[in-house]
Amino acid sequence: MYMNDEAKVGMFVLAGLALFGTAIFLLGDYSLRSYYQISVEFQDVAGLPDKSVVKLAGVVVGKIKSIYLKNDRVVVRLNVQTGIKIYRNAEFLIGSTSVIGSKFLQIDQGS
């Protein structure tokens, strides 16, 4: 089948827009899952970066949304996947993948 030049340019532009949209979705802070928000206060976050993962029993269940100072405490706002239950007496700890590895927020579930 023969395609004229305008059709070729149109197909090229559509393919480029599709790739651009996919890149924005994958690299941006977008998700199709629903989350609920929790705020946790720490004395020190020990270099925990913004946008780090949140793990419960070694499984990624969320992501850190923001980290900011409030009076003399550090407040970490995190998004946890809907359906994941966090108990009231759960402990939130800063974990590391290795000695020089990336840091994450570990939730040790209470009872």
Side-chain angles (χ1 to χ4, degrees):
M1 181 175 165
Y2 175 73
M3 291 178 62
N4 61 12
D5 291 337
E6 289 87 8
K8 290 178 184 176
V9 170
M11 294 294 284
F12 183 75
V13 168
L14 284 176
L17 287 173
L19 285 173
F20 180 72
T22 302
I24 293 293
F25 183 77
L26 292 176
L27 297 176
D29 195 18
Y30 303 106
S31 177
L32 298 176
R33 295 181 179 173
S34 62
Y35 294 90
Y36 65 95
Q37 198 168 88
I38 297 175
S39 292
V40 183
E41 290 188 8
F42 290 95
Q43 196 71 25
D44 182 16
V45 290
L48 181 69
D50 206 10
K51 311 290 187 229
S52 295
V53 295
V54 176
K55 293 183 179 182
L56 174 64
V59 179
V60 176
V61 295
K63 187 180 279 191
I64 293 176
K65 189 70 174 169
S66 65
I67 300 174
Y68 60 92
L69 287 172
K70 180 179 178 184
N71 300 326
D72 62 341
R73 308 282 290 173
V74 180
V75 178
V76 178
R77 287 180 39 213
L78 50 119
N79 289 340
V80 177
Q81 295 173 12
T82 302
I84 303 295
K85 294 181 181 178
I86 308 296
Y87 299 138
R88 288 196 180 275
N89 62 345
E91 291 186 21
F92 295 82
L93 309 166
I94 310 298
S96 181
T97 56
S98 67
V99 175
I100 59 171
S102 61
K103 297 193 183 276
F104 61 91
L105 185 66
Q106 174 67 39
I107 303 172
D108 286 345
Q109 198 71 288
S111 56

